[in-house]
Amino acid sequence: RMASKDQIVIDPTAIVSPEARLSGNIYIGEATVINPKAIILAEGGPIRIGKCNIIDEYAIIVNRPLNTRDLLHKEKDVTREMVIGDANLFETGSQVMAQYVGDCNTFETKSQVLEGSKVGSGIIVGLGCQVPPETTLDDCTAFSGPLCMPMPLASNHKQRHLEIHNRHLAHLHKVKKLLQQKK
Amino acid sequence: REGRMASVVRYNPEEYYRTTTHSLVSKKAVLSGIKNIKVGGNSIVAHGVVVRGELAKIQLGRFCLVRDNVVLHPAYKPFKGSIAFFPITIGDFVQIEDESVVGATSIGSFVSIGRNCTIGKRVIIKDFVRIEDNSVLPDDMVVPSYSIVSGFPASVSSEELPESFGDLLQDRITSLFNSFQPAVPSSSSSASPGHR
């Protein structure tokens, strides 16, 4: 088994709170903000997080550990990477174990996307929604309610999300720099 | 009025800050933007609580019990080329149990929020409300006074909240607060039951 040593590469423009829990082989892209008490565990392979993401407290991003089936089919030295795109919002308590996450998605409070899933772009996973394992979520759809009912979003949703998201990100950067300076 | 003394729960005094208004705030809680955070007297902020004061003003009333890992995270709305965050105002005698996440803009007095609840963005909760465990309140929901709320998505129950709810909650919170005692007894440890 490969020795699991933390190898965390953080882009200099990203803001990662020291109180966040990061473990394993993780790359964090430009301008991404990771708040205190966030949890990112690269257990079964590396996690690559793109730019401009916001990860709130108690959000859990896990590249789940390999199970027996993976080990049987796995070629030597091939790692299963979890890739997260740009401008996603991981709200408080959300749990994301998907294999691929695209851009401009919102994972609302306490939503869950279970292992093996592929999340497209421009998606909203609503409050408390639980997306089962190995599910593919189509672009520009909102999922809400206990049954994760899909509802298509306007085709310009990605742009709208990006507008609000960038303002949110700029505000966070400003506020966190102020906090840093006060210390 | 005398609060009944619940069984004493000892805490490690080195893990809590004691404020001038007799509140206890855990050192393991994350309170950012402290200047924006007001905690009323006789409140307890437990371990793992995250209060995002750097986003907006957050105000808690007296006798607020904020349990482990609760998150108070102000909601926002796009506003004039930027975004505006809504402050969070919480009244007196409010209990928020473990793991709940609050994005509400206003919570009244005499409110009990159960475990693992999700209070959506900009929600308004009036006075005398009980929110059951695991409820998920959608964004912008308004909860009227004397409601019992439960479910996912949450709805107001047709069952009526008993009139004595306020008194019982006040009693319960007061006695819980008074029975929360430091582990190493100091000379003034034998506090008398609540008589505030």
Side-chain angles (χ1 to χ4, degrees), chain B residues 56-72:
Chain B
K57 288 203 194 294
I58 300 182
Q59 184 175 332
L60 277 72
R62 306 174 302 123
F63 285 97
C64 283
L65 302 184
V66 183
R67 303 296 197 155
D68 293 35
N69 303 326
V70 163
V71 175
L72 304 182

Side-chain angles (χ1 to χ4, degrees), chain A:
Chain A
R1 263 331 215 101
M2 65 175 183
S4 47
K5 219 177 174 185
D6 281 0
Q7 198 188 327
I8 303 173
V9 177
I10 304 177
D11 186 282
T13 49
I15 300 182
V16 178
S17 162
E19 292 189 63
R21 184 170 150 214
L22 271 59
S23 149
N25 189 342
I26 303 174
Y27 169 79
I28 296 171
E30 257 180 72
T32 291
V33 174
I34 301 187
N35 287 300
K37 304 285 187 186
I39 300 170
I40 305 180
L41 304 175
E43 291 182 350
I47 298 181
R48 184 181 178 85
I49 301 179
K51 51 188 170 81
C52 300
N53 292 289
I54 298 174
I55 301 171
D56 278 336
E57 52 279 329
Y58 295 120
I60 302 175
I61 298 177
V62 178
N63 190 358
R64 67 173 168 96
L66 302 174
N67 60 23
T68 333
R69 198 179 65 179
D70 292 321
L71 291 169
L72 281 174
H73 295 287
K74 186 168 110 81
E75 289 159 32
K76 202 178 172 198
D77 295 338
V78 172
T79 50
R80 193 190 61 211
E81 193 182 24
M82 175 181 187
V83 179
I84 296 177
D86 307 332
N88 297 293
L89 172 59
F90 297 84
E91 289 191 359
T92 309
S94 54
Q95 282 187 39
V96 176
M97 299 186 236
Q99 213 51 57
Y100 300 105
V101 174
D103 308 324
C104 302
N105 300 300
T106 305
F107 299 91
E108 291 192 353
T109 308
K110 294 199 193 246
S111 57
Q112 293 179 20
V113 179
L114 299 179
E115 59 268 15
S117 298
K118 298 181 170 49
V119 180
S121 297
I123 292 171
I124 302 178
V125 184
L127 292 177
C129 277
Q130 224 181 29
V131 174
E134 313 287 337
T135 318
T136 303
L137 300 183
D138 297 326
D139 289 5
C140 284
T141 322
F143 297 86
S144 59
L147 300 171
C148 275
M149 300 303 289
M151 217 170 59
L153 292 166
S155 50
N156 68 347
H157 172 76
K158 266 208 240 177
Q159 285 97 298
R160 274 173 39 217
H161 170 103
L162 207 57
E163 269 174 39
I164 300 173
H165 188 89
N166 285 336
R167 296 174 193 176
H168 190 177
L169 193 70
H171 182 97
L172 283 178
H173 274 263
K174 185 177 86 174
V175 159
K176 286 189 190 289
K177 286 218 166 64
L178 282 176
L179 282 180
Q180 283 279 8
Q181 282 165 9
K182 279 186 185 166
K183 285 180 192 168

